[in-house]
């Protein structure tokens, strides 16, 4: 089959297929199947439908400039401001509607109407200007899930300063690398935040990063999250967030009209080599694609209360926690805490309390919910839910059904969405009012997305055969490039074939007769753990840095944990202390998120005859799964030994 995009909507007699619920279909944002044909017929021009969801300062005429592939430009002659699209344009119709409902870790609550949001975004934008931030200066944000994070993002967007959000759980070392790599002279962080029961000092990590960074910061802004619980001292170039807001309260800053191709933000993510890549997103194409998919795939409406549970420190939180919902003018829930505190029903309690109608989370979270038991969701009224979404890794049919049954009341659409930091927005998914769902399969590509599963030579594979997932034409949300330059952008992602340029996603996949794609996992050196991406080389290099270690291999166990296999120098006793040292190295190099769940000592790592570590095999062992023939290994005898060590540990 050569084009899953056109064949993907007709599901003939597939008994596992679940049709869109009839009552959902009648009110769905996308309900006319002709949308697929329209995109096929019109090509890139059809994406006008997405761009027309936005308010432009200067209307675009050209949809796509593809004169210099694969450096594509979307809506290149249009101008717009992302913050004005997420805030200002809603003021006429819904200034007193809630934009953000925030729930803090200690039970605190804060709500912002669109008018409140407008006021604070303007004050922060004015404050940043006052500190010297100019258009195109990159501002690094190192904040947990507090309202100041989306507000700071929008303030940056307002003045045309690209943001560079670094996940709050990453280490000082990781922050320093990202500040330097982005050439960022401004930082917004906080005194600290609550982790589990304890106040945790974020400022000292930020201070540490400033010492490590090669470049000098011009100024920093510090949010007071913990009040008296953590007193931090501020240097001359450090400003308290609240004081900055007070000083500029009531000021308005004219939103800067940006070229659609101008940088909205940079987001670092793990790639196929050790150093993280700075993925650059352009203002117009990104926002158009995100707004369109928020409407048509997640079916979010302005009168919804919507909750994307992902952390804003990653792309899902950027696209579907901030830009998508606010561009749509809906009310979005922001939650700082963990799903099991104070109890395992916290998520369901928040859904009930806020009458959340659309909920978007990851399979990792769903697996935890399943483990905790159906009694938690069942003890709450979840009848407000109209649609459920999932993203980040494959969801098993069993988890899909559990989610639909126990959270969705058995009858709502469950939309599995595939995309990446680089794609910017959802790329493969069913359209919930049109396309049947198949539990465990992502679904066909969205209209306008030219996804193909191909072999090594770029030839489409037969249904059921595994191949590489590639995107054969550009799409509006695509990265406009990498911070590291054109050469790395080309090398990381693009191949030129006979019929043009293909974007390589790095994922292995199969496709069925109906064009539904099943994701098999990464085919490169990236692992997905807890819906976050890590580069194995980066993690392994950090472990090998620990004294006494010679070699390391890291894998995900399929349950949200990292497992590290480690060999030690001769004479070094692999004991608990070394185990802690390995875990600490990962935490300080990357962050606590990368702390391994298990460190498995082994005399040798299984290798092919050419010396390549057999990570797939180690992953099977970590997952407790059957593994295939090991006779082609150079050292097959270690496999049994490793397996029994792992079995004893679990
Ligand atoms: C994986 C997250 C299976 C995939 C938005 C991809 C998925 C990587 C799915 C991107 C899904 C994402 N089913 N796998 N529905 N969604 N992935 O950049 O391997 O953090 O390449 O973006 O997550 O991760 P990233």
């Amino acid at each position: 089959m050569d084009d899953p995009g056109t064949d993907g909507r007709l599901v003939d007699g597939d008994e596992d297929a679940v049709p869109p619920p009839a009552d959902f279909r009648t009110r769905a944002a996308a309900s006319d199947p002709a949308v697929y044909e329209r995109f096929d017929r019109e090509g890139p021009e059809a994406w006008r439908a997405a761009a027309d969801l936005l308010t432009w300062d200067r209307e675009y005429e050209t949809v796509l400039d593809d004169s210099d592939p694969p450096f594509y430009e979307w809506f290149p002659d249009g101008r717009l401001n992302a913050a004005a699209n997420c805030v200002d344009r809603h003021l006429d119709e819904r200034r007193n509607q809630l934009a953000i409902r925030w729930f803090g870790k200690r039970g605190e609550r804060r709500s912002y109407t669109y008018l409140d949001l407008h006021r604070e975004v303007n004050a922060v934008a004015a404050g940043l200007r006052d500190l010297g931030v100019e258009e195109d200066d990159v501002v690094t944000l190192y904040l947990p899930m507090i309202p100041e994070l989306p507000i700071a993002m929008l303030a940056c967007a307002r003045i045309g300063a690209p943001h560079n959000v670094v996940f709050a759980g990453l280490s000082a070392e990781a922050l320093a690398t990202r500040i330097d790599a982005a050439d960022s002279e401004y930082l917004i962080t906080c005194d600290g935040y609550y982790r589990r029961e304890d106040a945790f000092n974020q400022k000292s990590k930020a201070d540490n990063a400033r010492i490590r960074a090669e470049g000098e910061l011009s100024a920093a802004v510090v949010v007071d999250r913990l009040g008296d619980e953590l007193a931090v001292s501020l240097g001359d170039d450090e400003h308290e967030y609240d004081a900055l807001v007070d000083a500029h309260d009531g000021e308005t800053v004219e939103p800067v009209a940006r070229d659609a191709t101008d940088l909205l933000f940079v987001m670092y993510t793990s790639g196929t080599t050790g150093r993280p890549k700075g993925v650059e997103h352009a203002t117009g194409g990104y926002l158009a694609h995100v707004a369109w998919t928020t409407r048509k795939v997640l079916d979010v409406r302005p009168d919804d209360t919507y909750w994307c549970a992902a952390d804003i420190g990653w792309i899902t939180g950027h696209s579907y926690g901030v830009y998508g919902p606010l561009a749509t003018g809906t009310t979005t829930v922001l939650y700082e805490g963990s799903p099991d505190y104070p109890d395992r029903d916290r998520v369901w309690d928040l859904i009930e309390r806020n009458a959340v109608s659309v909920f978007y989370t990851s399979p990792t979270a769903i697996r935890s919910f399943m483990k905790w038991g159906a009694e938690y969701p069942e003890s709450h009224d979840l009848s407000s839910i109209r649609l459920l979404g999932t993203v980040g890794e494959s969801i098993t049919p069993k988890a899909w059904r559990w989610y639909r049954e126990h959270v969705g009341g058995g009858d709502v659409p469950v939309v599995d969405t595939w995309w990446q930091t680089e794609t910017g927005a959802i790329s493969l998914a069913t359209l919930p009012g049109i396309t049947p769902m198949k539990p465990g399969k992502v679904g066909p590509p969205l209209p306008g997305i030219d996804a193909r599963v191909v072999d090594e030579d770029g030839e489409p594979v037969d249904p059921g055969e595994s191949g590489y997932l590639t995107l054969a034409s550009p799409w509006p949300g695509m990265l406009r490039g990498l911070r590291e330059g054109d050469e790395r952008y080309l090398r990381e992602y693009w191949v030129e074939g006979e019929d043009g340029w293909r974007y390589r996603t790095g994922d292995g996949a199969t496709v069925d007769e109906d064009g539904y794609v099943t994701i098999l996992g990464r085919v490169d050196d990236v692992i997905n753990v807890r819906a976050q991406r890590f580069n194995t080389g980066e993690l392994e290099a950090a472990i090998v840095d620990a004294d006494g270690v010679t070699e390391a291999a890291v894998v995900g166990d399929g349950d949200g944990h990292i497992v590290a296999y480690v060999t030690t120098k001769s004479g070094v006793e692999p004991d608990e202390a070394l185990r802690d040292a390995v875990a600490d190295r990962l935490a300080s190099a990357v962050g606590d998120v990368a702390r391994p769940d298990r460190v498995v000592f082994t005399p040798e790592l299984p290798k092919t005859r050419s010396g390549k570590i057999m990570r797939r095999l180690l992953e099977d062992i970590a997952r407790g799964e059957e593994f295939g023939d090991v006779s082609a290994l150079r050292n097959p005898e270690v496999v049994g030994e490793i397996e029994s060590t792992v079995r004893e540990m679990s």
Side-chain angles (χ1 to χ4, degrees):
M1 70 165 297
D2 57 10
D3 183 6
T6 42
D7 299 336
R9 316 110 212 192
L10 305 169
V11 181
D12 297 326
D14 189 324
E15 51 196 41
D16 290 333
V18 179
D23 57 338
F24 182 90
R25 190 167 12 174
T26 54
R27 298 192 57 205
S31 56
D32 183 359
V35 62
Y36 286 101
E37 280 117 57
R38 191 163 57 74
F39 271 82
D40 290 347
R41 199 174 56 242
E42 294 177 14
E45 286 296 312
W47 283 108
R48 283 182 187 273
D52 292 346
L53 295 173
L54 306 180
T55 303
W56 295 80
D57 295 312
R58 186 173 77 203
E59 277 300 324
Y60 62 92
E61 279 172 24
T62 310
V63 172
L64 171 66
D65 178 351
D66 57 1
S67 56
D68 182 24
F71 301 92
Y72 300 103
E73 296 191 336
W74 285 87
F75 316 113
D77 45 14
R79 293 177 78 90
L80 77 168
N81 183 279
N85 270 279
C86 290
V87 185
D88 302 47
R89 66 173 176 149
H90 304 310
L91 292 183
D92 278 349
E93 275 185 49
R94 52 184 80 96
R95 73 183 70 193
N96 284 322
Q97 180 195 305
L98 292 183
I100 297 175
R101 300 199 75 176
W102 176 74
F103 294 83
K105 211 164 257 185
R106 292 279 163 102
E108 311 94 314
R109 294 184 200 187
R110 255 195 270 161
S111 290
Y112 293 78
T113 62
Y114 275 95
L115 191 62
D116 295 331
L117 195 58
H118 184 256
R119 193 172 179 107
E120 192 157 325
V121 167
N122 271 282
V124 176
L128 290 176
R129 274 222 178 129
D130 210 22
L131 296 177
V133 180
E134 291 178 6
E135 191 175 351
D136 289 320
D137 286 346
V138 177
V139 180
T140 300
L141 310 183
Y142 188 48
L143 290 168
M145 289 285 276
I146 54 178
E148 288 82 354
L149 176 52
I151 289 170
M153 289 163 74
L154 294 167
C156 288
R158 192 168 192 90
I159 59 176
H163 51 74
N164 169 33
V165 176
V166 177
F167 176 63
L170 292 190
S171 66
E173 214 169 304
L175 174 62
T177 317
R178 285 158 176 76
I179 289 176
D180 282 337
D183 289 320
S184 177
E185 284 181 33
Y186 299 91
L187 173 70
I188 306 182
T189 185
C190 62
D191 53 350
Y193 60 100
Y194 297 110
R195 271 204 332 200
R196 297 173 202 102
E197 292 290 291
D198 309 317
F200 172 82
N201 194 327
Q202 182 82 343
K203 178 67 169 39
S204 68
K205 275 203 294 178
D207 291 345
N208 238 319
R210 288 189 69 166
I211 296 166
R212 285 165 179 271
E214 281 162 23
E216 286 272 314
L217 289 187
S218 301
V221 177
V222 182
V223 176
D224 179 9
R225 167 71 186 99
L226 296 178
D228 294 340
E229 223 168 305
L230 187 77
V232 299
S233 53
L234 299 186
D236 288 346
D237 58 356
E238 295 179 325
H239 307 265
E240 225 219 310
Y241 177 92
D242 286 338
L244 193 80
V245 169
D246 283 348
H248 297 277
D249 186 37
E251 288 178 29
T252 50
V253 174
E254 189 60 27
V256 174
R258 300 277 281 165
D259 283 347
T261 53
D262 279 342
L263 185 61
L264 178 60
F265 66 85
V266 52
M267 159 119 269
Y268 281 84
T269 187
S270 298
T272 51
T273 60
R275 287 177 65 78
K277 301 179 288 199
V279 171
E280 294 188 335
H281 278 293
T283 309
Y286 170 82
L287 200 62
H289 194 166
V290 165
W292 193 81
T293 46
T294 302
R295 271 308 277 126
K296 306 290 176 175
V297 179
L298 300 177
D299 201 65
V300 174
R301 300 192 286 249
D303 61 358
D304 276 319
T305 297
Y306 156 82
W307 183 13
C308 165
D311 196 289
I312 295 174
W314 307 109
I315 193 69
T316 307
H318 275 50
S319 300
Y320 298 103
V322 180
Y323 284 112
L326 296 178
T328 306
T330 195
T331 302
T332 179
V333 172
L334 189 63
Y335 178 50
E336 185 194 33
S338 41
D340 57 353
Y341 184 84
D343 204 349
R344 291 175 164 179
D345 70 340
R346 183 62 172 146
V347 168
W348 322 122
D349 170 57
L350 285 170
I351 290 179
E352 179 173 7
R353 230 173 243 286
N354 293 292
V356 168
S357 34
V358 176
F359 180 59
Y360 192 30
T361 191
S362 65
T364 316
I366 297 167
R367 275 197 302 270
S368 301
F369 301 148
M370 286 171 75
K371 220 178 285 167
W372 298 338
E375 62 269 29
Y376 294 102
E378 277 163 9
S379 65
H380 288 274
D381 176 4
L382 305 181
S383 58
S384 56
I385 290 179
R386 201 177 80 240
L387 179 137
L388 295 170
T390 149
V391 59
E393 48 186 313
S394 296
I395 182 164
T396 60
K398 190 170 161 205
W400 191 98
R401 292 205 174 85
W402 188 95
Y403 191 34
R404 187 171 205 234
E405 181 68 30
H406 298 289
V407 183
D411 57 358
V412 303
V414 174
V415 190
D416 184 0
T417 64
W418 177 94
W419 56 292
Q420 308 178 296
T421 304
E422 293 86 347
T423 70
I426 298 171
S427 310
L428 271 65
T430 52
L431 284 173
I434 301 174
T435 336
M437 302 163 276
K438 294 192 191 183
K441 296 183 178 179
V442 173
L446 288 181
I449 302 287
D450 190 358
R452 301 181 192 182
V453 181
V454 301
D455 64 17
E456 299 279 352
D457 303 321
E459 291 300 319
V461 298
D462 290 331
E465 297 286 318
S466 53
Y468 304 95
L469 180 64
T470 58
L471 303 179
S473 325
W475 64 98
M478 66 190 297
L479 73 169
R480 66 161 212 188
L482 286 180
R483 199 78 189 155
E484 290 70 28
D486 293 350
E487 198 192 315
R488 179 132 188 234
Y489 172 67
L490 286 170
R491 190 169 35 144
E492 286 274 353
Y493 302 112
W494 295 93
V495 273
E496 191 177 12
E498 271 162 27
D499 50 355
W501 287 86
R502 275 198 320 272
Y503 168 87
R504 295 180 296 144
T505 67
D507 280 358
T510 61
V511 60
D512 72 9
E513 266 95 11
D514 299 315
Y516 278 58
V517 173
T518 302
I519 305 292
L520 303 173
R522 302 288 306 196
V523 292
D524 54 15
D525 295 333
V526 174
I527 55 173
N528 298 325
V529 179
R530 279 178 234 119
Q532 291 163 20
R533 262 163 73 170
F534 298 97
N535 172 273
T536 49
E538 190 186 4
L539 300 182
E540 288 158 8
I543 298 176
V544 173
D545 249 11
D547 279 342
V549 171
T550 43
E551 262 193 318
V554 295
V555 300
D557 72 350
D559 226 0
H561 306 116
I562 293 177
V563 178
Y565 296 89
V566 175
T567 64
T568 55
K569 294 204 172 96
S570 64
V572 173
E573 185 60 30
D575 55 9
E576 280 309 310
L578 186 58
R579 198 164 265 144
D580 291 345
V582 165
D584 289 346
R585 263 313 294 150
L586 281 173
S588 75
V590 182
D592 269 328
V593 280
R595 215 171 252 287
D597 186 60
R598 282 177 282 171
V599 177
V600 182
F601 290 113
T602 164
E604 275 177 57
L605 293 172
K607 291 191 180 161
T608 62
R609 287 189 206 284
S610 61
K612 229 173 145 318
I613 297 172
M614 286 288 286
R615 245 190 231 94
R616 213 14 98 78
L617 175 69
L618 291 170
E619 190 174 280
D620 288 343
I621 295 174
R623 289 169 179 244
E625 279 168 12
E626 297 276 317
F627 50 85
D629 185 14
V630 297
S631 59
L633 291 182
R634 185 157 70 187
N635 50 357
E637 66 287 351
V638 300
V639 177
E641 206 172 316
I642 295 176
E643 202 209 4
S644 59
T645 312
V646 171
R647 209 175 320 118
E648 275 164 34
M649 289 176 77
S650 34

